Amino acid sequence: MKILLVKCHKNTIYSAYQPIICEPLELEYISTMLDEESIKHNIIDRLIDNRSFKNCIINCTPDVLFLTGYITAVDTILKYANYAKKQNKDIKVVVGGVHSEVNYEDFFSLDIDVIQHQGDLHTSKALIRFLKEAFNSSGKEKWRDFDYKSLEDISGLAYLQHGNWKVNEKKAIDFYTLPLPKRTIMKEHPYKARYMNYIGLALLKTSISCPYSCRFCYCKEINKGIYLKRPIEEVIMEIKAIDEEYIWIVDDTFLIDRTSTLDFIDRIKKEGINKKWIAYSRADFIANNEDIIKMLSEIGFVEIIAGLEDSSDEFLDSYEKGTSKNEGEEAVRILKENNIRLTGLFLAGIDFKKRDFKRLRAWIKKMNLKSYTVSIFTPLKGTELYEEYKDRIDVKDFSKYDFLHLVLRPTHMSKLRFYMYFYMIYVEQFFSSPYIRSFLKHRLKEILKKKSISK
Ligand code: SF4
């Protein structure tokens, strides 16, 4: 049996510059499990290896196709599934990923056989074993009849049985453990993954879900909102196996509590690990733990991405963020004093008036922030907010759910005016931030060089 694992993408307005390219970590964990089962497989991710999906389907002739991607890639996933089935009607198509965890019904298609809507690897393992069992390696027919009875026992799967979708209940996991990911694709394509100018980047996940409940956020829906950390021993073992200089800890929020952060710092020091780190944090943790930020800087933290969201306590309260404008200002000061670059994440509310855009720009200027992104308020399907706003949502195309498009009408102005004020923030960043300009210049050179080589 041959399996093709594909990370699916959709182009956005950032695509030309690709400021962030990540390794397909979730597929690398599945790769480890497939090795354990001695199943031949390949991972493709066009942002890393530039390979064409269609060519791979034709040349690799997989028996099973695993597709994964974010909300913006829903349409790409459906198209890939359709293409694969047209090439080979016997291929089994499996879909997973964060969108399928909460919105599995978006993949109810006759071109898809199984949807994994429980993101843990026990479910993946049980599914792989089921497929291995059902595959007929010697006979003319590639597949024995699916024994749907055994699929019924695997929690967190939805599957197409004789034209009808059956959905097994999802169970939250209560212990979070992961194997060592098989990073072959990254070894074959080193220096492809990047976060802005940090090149040679590996991802690391030390926890699942988030214990906070900011109203706009999808992360808290993962694992039914139950936050779990991986055992530190396992995390250290994984770090030691990473070759890359930069490690981006992609926990929804990494700096949660003093005890576990101090434990992490202590272990990194004791093991003599010398890496450069990037991680997400809340502003209140930074503001209230200056001593820890100093220690993080000493062990190599170079960048913290913090959800500052807004400069107004009124808006912060309405998002139920649990942080304040003062904490945001303290976080900016502390990171600056400790030489850790801050990327601030902001939210442009749908009820923003002209004065709110002005206020946000003025605050960014006052704080002298050079690296930040502003997202347009987008209620993601599967969250409580989506239910609240669903009657006002007038964009159904998921590829537009990239936080740079309006999916609902602004309350106080036309869409055009909203976009004008919104993009003005980015124009201002371009002119005021040498960091952003140098990144864009550098990236443009890389792109032109690549084009001239390929001619
Ligand atoms: S915004 Fe950050 S802190 Fe809030 S729920 Fe999401 S991940 Fe957690």
Side-chain angles (χ1 to χ4, degrees):
M1 179 167 74
K2 283 186 286 179
I3 298 188
L4 183 65
L5 306 151
V6 186
K7 182 78 184 248
C8 305
H9 300 280
K10 178 83 187 177
N11 285 343
T12 69
I13 52 179
Y14 284 135
S15 293
Y17 276 87
Q18 290 299 3
I20 296 172
I21 300 178
C22 295
E23 64 180 314
L25 187 60
E26 68 277 36
L27 298 182
E28 291 168 334
Y29 284 120
I30 292 183
S31 175
T32 302
M33 290 189 302
L34 291 171
D35 267 358
E36 283 165 11
E37 297 291 329
S38 309
I39 295 173
K40 279 194 209 157
H41 61 279
N42 258 310
I43 295 182
I44 62 166
D45 180 337
R46 73 171 164 81
L47 295 186
I48 303 284
D49 57 20
N50 232 351
R51 290 170 78 190
S52 134
F53 169 74
K54 290 185 178 176
N55 287 348
C56 287
I57 286 288
I58 294 166
N59 299 329
C60 307
T61 59
D63 304 297
V64 179
L65 178 65
F66 269 69
L67 299 170
T68 177
Y70 300 117
I71 183 169
T72 47
V74 170
D75 197 40
T76 309
I77 291 174
L78 293 169
K79 280 186 183 148
Y80 281 5
N82 180 264
Y83 182 81
K85 285 278 182 188
K86 276 189 181 149
Q87 295 301 314
N88 169 13
K89 65 176 177 32
D90 290 331
I91 196 169
K92 298 291 177 202
V93 179
V94 179
V95 171
V98 279
H99 186 74
S100 72
E101 277 195 44
V102 183
N103 299 294
Y104 52 81
E105 72 282 2
D106 289 334
F107 298 107
F108 283 178
S109 150
L110 292 177
D111 296 321
I112 291 168
D113 298 278
V114 183
I115 303 161
Q116 183 175 333
H117 64 101
Q118 179 174 316
D120 76 295
L121 291 180
H122 300 292
T123 306
S124 311
K125 193 169 216 156
L127 175 61
I128 289 165
R129 292 212 168 129
F130 169 82
L131 291 166
K132 193 178 172 187
E133 192 70 20
F135 189 72
N136 194 3
S137 51
S138 53
K140 205 172 159 207
E141 293 289 317
K142 285 237 167 158
W143 296 93
R144 299 184 185 96
D145 268 351
F146 264 27
D147 172 14
Y148 289 103
K149 260 286 150 280
S150 13
L151 271 181
E152 269 173 29
D153 298 333
I154 309 175
S155 67
L157 289 187
Y159 51 95
L160 192 59
Q161 181 179 8
H162 310 307
N164 293 314
W165 279 95
K166 296 272 165 82
V167 181
N168 295 350
E169 208 194 319
K170 169 158 73 182
K171 288 187 189 143
I173 54 165
D174 53 11
F175 184 66
Y176 189 42
T177 176
L178 294 170
L180 271 186
K182 190 182 164 206
R183 297 190 138 111
T184 313
I185 186 170
M186 299 318 295
K187 289 201 180 5
E188 287 167 357
H189 304 277
Y191 305 110
K192 256 335 232 309
R194 69 186 309 148
Y195 177 95
M196 300 292 285
N197 284 329
Y198 306 123
I199 302 172
L201 173 83
L203 301 188
L204 174 73
K205 198 140 174 63
T206 77
S207 69
I208 187 170
S209 201
C210 180
Y212 292 94
S213 46
C214 312
R215 288 193 82 212
F216 55 85
C217 186
Y218 186 84
C219 302
K220 64 183 194 303
E221 310 296 331
I222 303 299
N223 198 37
K224 295 189 168 182
I226 298 169
Y227 171 74
L228 298 169
K229 282 183 102 65
R230 279 171 82 188
I232 185 79
E233 289 308 326
E234 193 182 285
V235 171
I236 296 293
M237 202 160 68
E238 186 170 327
I239 293 168
K240 283 179 163 176
I242 290 176
D243 296 331
E244 282 78 2
E245 181 183 6
Y246 294 96
I247 298 182
W248 182 2
I249 304 173
V250 285
D251 295 11
D252 298 326
T253 204
F254 175 62
L255 303 177
I256 295 261
D257 68 282
R258 284 187 67 88
T259 314
S260 63
T261 312
L262 286 170
D263 192 22
F264 177 81
I265 294 169
D266 188 46
R267 291 303 307 268
I268 295 298
K269 280 187 182 164
K270 277 195 182 130
E271 301 287 342
I273 291 168
N274 187 14
K275 294 283 180 193
K276 295 193 173 115
W277 307 90
I278 302 166
Y280 290 100
S281 174
R282 287 167 56 90
D284 51 353
F285 185 93
I286 303 166
N288 301 321
N289 296 283
E290 190 166 354
D291 55 335
I292 289 189
I293 299 302
K294 188 168 181 288
M295 290 181 227
L296 290 172
S297 170
E298 284 162 6
I299 63 160
F301 272 67
V302 290
E303 171 105 20
I304 285 189
I305 307 162
L308 301 174
E309 318 307 349
D310 205 294
S311 61
S312 135
D313 282 332
E314 195 190 328
F315 275 98
L316 286 167
D317 290 346
S318 73
Y319 300 145
E320 293 177 19
K321 181 76 192 180
T323 59
S324 66
K325 179 184 174 197
N326 283 347
E327 283 170 329
E329 293 185 350
E330 266 301 275
V332 176
R333 177 191 68 77
I334 291 169
L335 291 175
K336 218 170 258 173
E337 285 181 10
N338 286 283
N339 288 321
I340 298 178
R341 183 182 296 283
L342 162 70
T343 291
L345 308 179
F346 294 96
L347 202 53
I350 209 69
D351 46 355
F352 261 28
K353 294 182 178 148
K354 182 181 172 186
R355 64 164 189 246
D356 296 308
F357 283 106
K358 237 173 127 183
R359 168 183 51 74
L360 192 56
R361 279 170 45 213
W363 190 78
I364 288 171
K365 204 167 167 188
K366 183 181 126 193
M367 291 289 110
N368 201 16
L369 288 185
K370 299 297 175 210
S371 175
Y372 51 88
T373 65
V374 185
S375 300
I376 296 177
F377 172 78
T378 306
L380 288 183
K381 201 171 164 207
T383 61
E384 189 191 312
L385 273 189
Y386 184 86
E387 291 308 308
E388 192 178 319
Y389 282 91
K390 75 175 173 205
D391 297 336
R392 281 178 60 189
I393 292 177
D394 55 10
V395 174
K396 302 286 176 212
D397 175 1
F398 286 129
S399 68
K400 301 279 189 290
Y401 283 64
D402 56 2
F403 303 97
L404 298 169
H405 287 88
L406 281 160
V407 300
L408 61 166
R409 214 152 257 295
T411 318
H412 299 296
M413 60 186 84
S414 68
K415 282 192 173 187
L416 188 67
R417 269 182 100 77
F418 189 96
Y419 277 131
M420 202 178 79
Y421 294 132
F422 176 72
Y423 282 107
M424 215 185 275
I425 301 177
Y426 281 102
V427 171
E428 205 157 82
Q429 185 180 30
F430 177 82
F431 286 110
S432 69
S433 172
Y435 172 68
I436 296 295
R437 281 202 307 278
S438 102
F439 166 74
L440 292 173
K441 209 169 118 191
H442 187 73
R443 202 63 189 115
L444 186 64
K445 269 190 195 161
E446 281 179 354
I447 295 165
L448 293 174
K449 196 173 156 196
K450 209 170 126 194
K451 275 199 176 150
S452 74
I453 291 170
S454 64
K455 267 185 192 165

